[in-house]
Amino acid sequence: MDQPAKRKHTANGSDNHPVKRSKGGSNGRWQTPHHKAKLESIRSKGLEVGDMGIWTTCVKGKERQALEELLDICEEYGERLYGIKREEDTEGTDDDDDIEASIKKEVQGMKPTDKPKDSIFEPMRMDLDCLLFMRTKSPIDPVELVQHICKDAKKATNKAQRQSRFINRFTPVTTSAKANEAGVEEVAKEVLAKHFQLASDNEETGGANTEAYSYAIRPTFRAHNTLKRDDVIKKVASLIAPRHKVNLSSPDKVILIDIYQTHCGMSVVDGDWESLKRYNLHEIYLAASKVSNGTSEKPKEKQEEDSAQPEN
């Protein structure tokens, strides 16, 4: 029996209309390293080497509201701690319920910000759900700022005293560098030297005059798979003089390392980091309410933070 002739492939669809040609892109398929690097640079172009500030996680789907809360809190404490007057809000409040204004706010919230470049606080929304960054400038000390916010939050014994509904965890960043081996070493030497004697120091440098603080290293990785957790911990630990001992249960100091895409930030905080719920504002509020009421908070107050969870 003769086989039916195969149809010749044409560029037309089933309805005899020309099939639209692809305009490029991968549609989720395999990408070249160059393409990946280009996309990565676009996603993280808001962050720069040397940035200091505060990484902030928040409730999923509430990034814009959390960003507004974060800016309000930072400006309040900036005025309280450093005497920095709040910037005047030039936007009116009449359009709060207007759909077009809400959409515009949402779009603006996805950009680094339209605040002036010389602003002390520059809020930024990352391209990862539940993740924000507040870039700060001198004289703000991100560690001091976060510690004051969290310690004051312990005094909020009822919901009316809470300053935030959507913010979860803070991670202060004293300075940052590129997320590679050289960058980790560079930022570590700068940050650690203020608190520890470095392994490269000798007694003549004055490093031995620092207290022999014990320490723990707590790294967080987000959207990054180049550097490995254990390698980063070993590298940072190797830079610290042996007189400082590791203490994972009750350290005097905690070294926070936050690696996001191509950026590595670091800070050193006090050992009360654990008792302050690892700077999780929501958890501090819940603990304060439990102490005040002697009862547990209802489970419905549990925050969503799925997409911003660290990849370890």
Side-chain angles (χ1 to χ4, degrees):
M1 182 180 292
D2 295 336
Q3 296 292 330
K6 293 183 179 180
R7 293 184 181 180
K8 184 179 294 186
H9 175 74
T10 66
N12 294 338
S14 59
D15 57 355
N16 208 35
H17 287 293
V19 176
K20 291 184 179 179
R21 292 183 179 274
S22 172
K23 294 183 179 180
S26 65
N27 290 327
R29 297 189 295 274
W30 180 84
Q31 300 171 351
T32 66
H34 174 73
H35 192 192
K36 288 182 178 180
K38 184 176 180 181
L39 290 176
E40 199 72 14
S41 67
I42 292 173
R43 293 188 184 110
S44 60
K45 65 180 181 179
L47 294 172
E48 299 175 0
V49 170
D51 276 349
M52 63 178 184
I54 306 168
W55 283 112
T56 306
T57 59
C58 65
V59 178
K60 189 174 183 179
K62 299 294 184 180
E63 288 83 0
R64 180 177 62 82
Q65 294 91 329
L67 203 64
E68 292 174 356
E69 289 180 345
L70 179 60
L71 180 59
D72 188 58
I73 292 173
C74 286
E75 288 186 339
E76 176 184 333
Y77 280 83
E79 184 172 2
R80 186 188 304 180
L81 299 177
Y82 304 99
I84 300 170
K85 296 297 182 182
R86 293 185 182 223
E87 295 184 8
E88 293 295 329
D89 187 2
T90 56
E91 293 187 7
T93 58
D94 295 338
D95 295 333
D96 286 348
D97 297 327
D98 185 80
I99 296 177
E100 185 176 350
S102 298
I103 295 175
K104 184 178 180 181
K105 268 189 171 183
E106 185 70 26
V107 172
Q108 289 175 339
M110 297 177 68
K111 299 176 182 179
T113 186
D114 56 359
K115 294 173 72 65
K117 275 292 185 180
D118 59 349
S119 295
I120 297 296
F121 297 107
E122 187 179 352
M124 302 166 63
R125 178 172 171 182
M126 301 294 100
D127 64 345
L128 191 64
D129 287 348
C130 310
L131 187 63
L132 314 171
F133 186 74
M134 177 64 75
R135 178 186 284 146
T136 63
K137 295 182 180 179
S138 182
I140 303 298
D141 179 348
V143 172
E144 180 183 40
L145 185 68
V146 169
Q147 287 176 337
H148 274 86
I149 294 171
C150 292
K151 288 178 180 178
D152 286 349
K154 292 181 68 175
K155 305 171 187 175
T157 54
N158 61 69
K159 294 181 181 179
Q161 296 174 309
R162 299 180 184 181
Q163 294 180 292
S164 167
R165 293 176 56 199
F166 306 112
I167 290 173
N168 286 332
R169 190 186 310 278
F170 294 125
T171 303
V173 174
T174 300
T175 190
S176 59
K178 291 183 178 180
N180 52 38
E181 291 183 9
V184 170
E185 182 173 354
E186 174 189 344
V187 74
K189 285 182 176 179
E190 180 178 347
V191 174
L192 298 177
K194 301 174 183 177
H195 305 273
F196 304 97
Q197 178 187 357
L198 300 183
S200 58
D201 289 341
N202 53 47
E203 294 187 6
E204 284 72 23
T205 64
N209 294 328
T210 61
E211 292 188 42
Y213 294 123
S214 61
Y215 68 93
I217 300 173
R218 305 297 187 191
T220 298
F221 292 77
R222 296 186 179 94
H224 179 91
N225 55 15
T226 303
L227 297 174
K228 304 303 179 184
R229 175 189 174 90
D230 289 346
D231 293 340
V232 170
I233 292 175
K234 290 177 182 177
K235 181 60 180 178
V236 173
S238 71
L239 299 173
I240 302 174
R243 60 194 292 264
H244 301 284
K245 304 301 181 182
V246 174
N247 185 335
L248 300 181
S249 59
S250 57
D252 297 318
K253 300 287 183 180
V254 179
I255 302 168
L256 301 180
I257 305 170
D258 204 295
I259 295 178
Y260 168 73
Q261 293 186 351
T262 60
H263 296 268
C264 172
M266 194 177 300
S267 64
V268 176
V269 301
D270 290 337
D272 60 0
W273 179 69
E274 286 285 355
S275 64
L276 287 174
K277 306 298 182 182
R278 300 191 174 192
Y279 295 161
N280 188 313
L281 192 60
H282 178 70
E283 293 296 331
I284 293 172
Y285 284 146
L286 292 185
S289 294
K290 291 176 183 178
V291 170
S292 175
N293 302 329
T295 58
S296 299
E297 290 284 341
K298 294 180 181 179
K300 69 178 181 180
E301 286 205 57
K302 180 176 176 59
Q303 300 274 24
E304 287 189 57
E305 191 182 352
D306 299 335
S307 299
Q309 288 291 343
E311 301 170 1
N312 294 330

